[in-house]
Amino acid sequence: MPVETSQAASDAELHRRLVYGDESALAAAYDVYGGLVRRIALRVTHAPGAADDVAQEVFAHLWSRPYTYDPQRGTLRTWLSMLAHRRSVDWVRAEERHRKAAHTDEAALHAIPAPGPGPDEAVVDMERALLLHSALAELPLPQRQAVHLAYFAGHSYRQVAAELGIPEGTAKTRLRTALRRLAATLAEPPDTAVERGA
């Protein structure tokens, strides 16, 4: 008996058993074609997890709808290969849609402008900025320079020390002292400072 005829007979028998709900027929089909189906899925999806999912879907389809395979029209190998390829392509397309949708959502999120401060907040922020500017101006020059480099230019205390040509310990001390003075000055509520200046 030629190999093709033998394969057709074997496929027809497997198909008959599947139609009658013989679970051992599904196990036999998986033993013979499971590796092939997974290889096809992996070649298309390039994702082992997706290949496993596709293989599971293909054999679940064979089990739940065995009548969709017609032994008269070709081998079970060809039919399962075609089904694996189609399901894998569907997975790739779905992933691409998902990626595009996620990108669109992210772009839309970034496009939403941040809410600006209300009029009251703007006044308070301006008063704080004026207070900070005034408090900075009252610092001794060495401390003011250290604060400017660390907090406005974004330098580390090591970079501050290098920039000013002083030891790192001195830079730390200047920053710590300056921050204490600023904190004490800025601890007063803005309206008290305005009243005092009036």
Side-chain angles (χ1 to χ4, degrees):
M1 182 185 289
V3 176
E4 286 182 14
T5 309
S6 165
Q7 186 63 56
S10 174
D11 286 351
E13 176 59 19
L14 260 179
H15 181 248
R16 185 189 65 75
R17 288 165 58 199
L18 284 163
V19 167
Y20 282 104
D22 182 351
E23 289 182 19
S24 66
L26 181 64
Y30 188 82
D31 286 345
V32 176
Y33 301 116
L36 170 72
V37 166
R38 192 178 182 284
R39 279 194 305 277
I40 291 168
L42 188 56
R43 195 166 60 235
V44 175
T45 63
H46 303 288
D52 290 338
D53 291 347
V54 167
Q56 190 175 346
E57 281 180 33
V58 166
F59 284 97
H61 180 87
L62 177 63
W63 175 248
S64 62
R65 298 184 195 83
Y67 47 83
T68 56
Y69 163 62
D70 182 359
Q72 303 299 317
R73 299 182 64 185
T75 64
L76 185 57
R77 175 190 182 93
T78 302
W79 186 80
L80 288 171
S81 298
M82 184 187 65
L83 190 57
H85 186 269
R86 193 180 304 145
R87 292 288 170 99
S88 300
V89 168
D90 288 346
W91 183 88
V92 170
R93 285 178 180 156
E95 277 298 294
E96 187 59 32
R97 279 195 303 272
H98 177 71
R99 239 191 321 273
K100 281 181 182 171
H103 180 70
T104 303
D105 289 349
E106 194 175 326
L109 259 174
H110 288 301
I112 297 171
D120 294 343
E121 292 166 328
V123 169
V124 171
D125 287 347
M126 191 165 59
E127 286 177 355
R128 283 188 184 139
L130 287 169
L131 268 178
L132 177 61
H133 183 72
S134 171
L136 280 168
E138 290 173 17
L139 290 175
L141 181 61
Q143 290 176 15
R144 195 163 61 239
Q145 288 173 327
V147 168
H148 177 76
L149 288 169
Y151 296 99
F152 296 101
H155 292 345
S156 67
Y157 75 88
R158 286 194 175 101
Q159 291 170 323
V160 170
E163 186 86 20
L164 296 176
I166 57 175
E168 290 177 8
T170 305
K172 274 187 184 178
T173 303
R174 284 185 188 176
L175 285 168
R176 204 168 24 241
T177 307
L179 290 176
R180 279 199 199 112
R181 286 189 180 186
L182 288 172
T185 305
L186 298 174
E188 299 177 28
D191 55 344
T192 307
V194 169
E195 281 172 18
R196 234 180 359 162

